[in-house]
Amino acid sequence: MFSRVAVTGGIGAGKSTITKHLQERGAFVIDYDEVSREIVAPGTDGLRRVVDLFGSEALNADGTMNRKWVSHEVFGRPDLRKRFESIIHPLIFADAEKQESDWIASLTGRCELSQGSGRSGHYCKPGSPHRIVIHEIPLLAETGIARWFDTVIDIEAPEEVRIQRLIESRNLNRAEARARIASQASEEQRRQIATYVINSDKPLQEVYDEADRIYDKLCHLEG
Ligand SMILES: CC(C)(COP(=O)(O)OP(=O)(O)OC[C@H]1O[C@@H](n2cnc3c(N)ncnc32)[C@H](O)[C@@H]1O)[C@@H](O)C(=O)NCCC(=O)NCCS
Ligand SMILES: Nc1ncnc2c1ncn2[C@@H]1O[C@H](COP(=O)(O)OP(=O)(O)OP(=O)(O)O)[C@@H](O)[C@H]1O
């Protein structure tokens, strides 16, 4: 069988760090931030629609989307952010669904598929090797799609810790970090949709050990 797992958490909480670790343990990972870049690459319908919304100021000289400029426009202006997201999110979900279907197709022969209750409608038969697909979705609580997943792992860290991480590693200043956090669901809202919560405000090895315990449990599920 396989399990559909969502990893979520506020910006800078440590989602990518944990997901990358679980990828090394064999999970198939779909990174929604990465997909969000691909669907606005030069020449895509996504980028054309973004330019329709914002005008050509949304473009860098080389024709790529000017992410810094778009960030300044959308964070702090919820109406504009919603319009932007209404273009981007359906494209992200469609791409992620395709990545998952392709992955399922690649399991054929290695894992017997049967109809199941998941969104994709396929589960590997009991007794087949267990596979985990992780969807890394920053805005899981915001987009209301948690029910698509068998398990939701929520990564959390105190806001000040996340702000410091963003300043150090993301080239964001304090005001930009705060504006992004203010655009996201609250910790309480994320906890409400979570099967498991991992606090990432501790040494990385301890975080990995906690993630491993959850991963091991998921791998032994029977379907
Ligand atoms: C606004 C954009 C251009 C900023 O680009 P930038 O390179 O600075 O950030 P990046 O894409 O690496 O995202 C970093 C983090 O910002 C946060 N974030 C991104 N988009 C949003 C949003 N619409 N609302 C709240 N937080 C967001 C997430 O925590 C994400 O992990 C970009 O994030 C984007 O296109 N956002 C819309 C797509 C989206 O919603 N992505 C989240 C996937 S569900
Ligand atoms: N337990 C930890 N201890 C120290 N630093 C950490 C820890 N977890 C994550 N970090 C660091 O914090 C930064 C943000 O982590 P990461 O990129 O995993 O977060 P994220 O939730 O994926 O962020 P985003 O929402 O921006 O994609 C990175 O520089 C990472 O190395």
Side-chain angles (χ1 to χ4, degrees):
M1 68 174 282
F2 74 88
S3 281
R4 309 182 72 245
V5 177
V7 169
T8 192
I11 185 166
K15 296 179 295 296
S16 304
T17 303
I18 292 176
T19 301
K20 193 163 178 294
H21 174 72
L22 296 179
Q23 187 171 34
E24 282 161 11
R25 290 210 48 199
F28 178 73
V29 172
I30 304 173
D31 174 348
Y32 283 41
D33 279 341
E34 194 179 307
V35 174
S36 82
R37 287 167 197 270
E38 286 161 8
I39 52 105
V40 294
T44 56
D45 187 46
L47 185 57
R48 186 187 54 71
R49 290 170 62 191
V50 169
V51 173
D52 285 347
L53 175 65
F54 293 112
S56 56
E57 275 185 285
L59 292 177
N60 292 310
D62 64 0
T64 56
M65 189 173 88
N66 186 336
R67 307 181 73 81
K68 200 80 181 167
W69 185 89
V70 171
S71 298
H72 278 293
E73 290 298 300
V74 299
F75 295 117
R77 287 188 58 188
D79 53 328
L80 195 54
R81 180 164 50 78
K82 293 273 172 243
R83 287 170 66 194
F84 176 57
E85 289 173 351
S86 72
I87 296 170
I88 302 291
H89 286 172
L91 296 172
I92 295 178
F93 297 155
D95 187 283
E97 193 170 1
K98 175 159 187 334
Q99 282 194 47
E100 191 186 75
S101 312
D102 289 349
W103 172 73
I104 291 167
S106 79
L107 293 177
T108 309
R110 285 184 285 148
C111 166
E112 211 181 338
L113 296 175
S114 64
Q115 288 297 309
S117 58
R119 178 163 166 259
S120 59
H122 298 288
Y123 278 85
C124 297
K125 283 191 173 152
S128 301
H130 195 94
R131 304 289 173 139
I132 306 282
V133 54
I134 294 180
H135 294 243
E136 185 187 333
I137 314 178
L139 306 183
L140 184 68
E142 293 85 341
T143 50
I145 58 168
R147 65 183 184 285
W148 292 355
F149 299 93
D150 302 308
T151 304
V152 173
I153 304 175
D154 174 31
I155 318 298
E156 293 294 339
E159 190 169 309
E160 188 50 37
V161 171
R162 290 157 53 206
I163 290 173
Q164 281 309 324
R165 287 177 181 173
L166 294 172
I167 292 170
E168 281 161 27
S169 71
R170 284 295 150 76
N171 196 23
L172 294 182
N173 62 38
R174 179 170 285 274
E176 289 167 336
R178 278 188 180 284
R180 247 181 239 213
I181 289 171
S183 302
Q184 299 189 339
S186 64
E187 177 172 334
E188 193 189 339
Q189 288 169 319
R190 285 189 295 268
R191 281 177 182 269
Q192 272 169 12
I193 57 162
T195 320
Y196 300 100
V197 179
I198 297 179
N199 168 22
S200 82
D201 185 21
K202 53 192 177 198
L204 266 179
Q205 193 52 55
E206 286 180 32
V207 176
Y208 290 151
D209 289 346
E210 198 170 336
D212 282 343
R213 281 194 290 276
I214 295 170
Y215 190 78
D216 290 344
K217 224 186 252 185
L218 296 175
C219 285
H220 292 111
L221 284 178
E222 291 301 320

